[in-house]
Amino acid sequence: MTAMPRNPDAGSGRKARIMTPKALRVLALGYLARYAASRATVARFLSRRLERAAAAGQAEADTDDIAFLLDDLERLGLIDDGAFSRTKANSLSRRGFSARGLTARLQEAGVDESTAKGALEALAEEGDCDLRRAWRYAKRRRLGPFRPPGERSDRRTRDLAALSRRGFGLDVAKTVVDATESEITQDAPASLTGGEDTSG
């Protein structure tokens, strides 16, 4: 006798989850407990879940409920695009992202242009700039002065290109790649941090 396919919900006493405003809130809080996120990122996550529920005929909430929830989470301080962008910008800066790269990453994360600009201005107020960030990137990737002395000349063009792809301007790239031997052991040496910050 052919066995009938088993319905996983049959006899289990479980009901399919209905996407109510309360369920949306539970999802949002769970997401924020796991990830640092912008308002736009949380909105996209909730919208996908709501669309899935609606397609299955299990949605009692709508997009207005998402907007109301996001406003409430902002009021409570659980969503703060300004703080999120500053934290993310700091992290990316330590990894050697240029101002151009920082802006692109923040916008990919759903941060608007004005908020992203504010995050870069906060870095600048702390003395961070593209020259410092390029030095960090060169150190991580062993470019320019961090290469064995015998390789520097042959790899100079390649190293300049690597920094350019990262979003750094040619002047910044040359300053880092052509740094003197005495600066190799220093972290963002003073001679590499003077002058005005550039956006790459």
Side-chain angles (χ1 to χ4, degrees):
M1 185 173 68
T2 303
M4 296 295 291
R6 183 176 182 273
N7 181 346
D9 291 326
S12 68
R14 291 185 302 172
K15 293 182 179 179
R17 171 181 283 188
I18 304 299
M19 191 60 68
T20 62
K22 182 178 180 180
L24 282 174
R25 189 178 191 87
V26 170
L27 285 172
L29 291 174
Y31 188 86
L32 290 168
R34 295 191 302 274
Y35 309 108
S38 66
R39 176 181 174 124
T41 299
V42 179
R44 286 195 294 266
F45 167 72
L46 294 177
S47 294
R48 287 195 300 269
R49 296 298 293 267
L50 181 59
E51 288 170 7
R52 191 183 309 167
Q58 298 171 354
E60 291 182 359
D62 57 27
T63 55
D64 287 341
D65 291 311
I66 291 178
F68 179 85
L69 171 59
L70 294 173
D71 287 344
D72 190 44
L73 294 176
E74 282 188 332
R75 181 181 61 80
L76 294 171
L78 297 177
I79 292 178
D80 184 336
D81 278 9
F84 167 77
S85 63
R86 289 189 296 274
T87 299
K88 190 170 184 66
N90 270 306
S91 174
L92 293 171
S93 177
R94 288 194 298 271
R95 291 165 55 193
F97 276 79
S98 66
R100 184 182 300 168
L102 284 167
T103 300
R105 284 297 191 95
L106 288 173
Q107 291 180 341
E108 287 171 8
V111 175
D112 62 48
E113 184 177 352
S114 175
T115 305
K117 182 179 179 181
L120 264 69
E121 289 173 349
L123 286 177
E125 289 174 2
E126 296 170 0
D128 204 1
C129 63
D130 260 9
L131 210 46
R132 283 181 179 271
R133 293 188 280 266
W135 181 261
R136 292 182 196 124
Y137 184 66
K139 193 172 184 178
R140 286 182 63 228
R141 296 296 303 275
R142 298 175 185 260
L143 306 177
F146 301 102
R147 287 191 181 280
E151 295 181 6
R152 289 191 64 176
S153 178
D154 291 342
R155 301 295 182 107
R156 182 176 184 274
T157 299
R158 182 179 298 183
D159 291 350
L160 289 173
L163 286 162
S164 178
R165 287 194 299 272
R166 193 71 166 183
F168 295 107
L170 183 59
D171 288 346
V172 169
K174 284 182 176 180
T175 299
V176 172
V177 171
D178 296 333
T180 64
E181 295 293 325
S182 65
E183 294 168 325
I184 294 176
T185 59
Q186 301 179 56
D187 183 19
S191 58
L192 290 183
T193 58
E196 194 169 319
D197 190 11
T198 70
S199 62

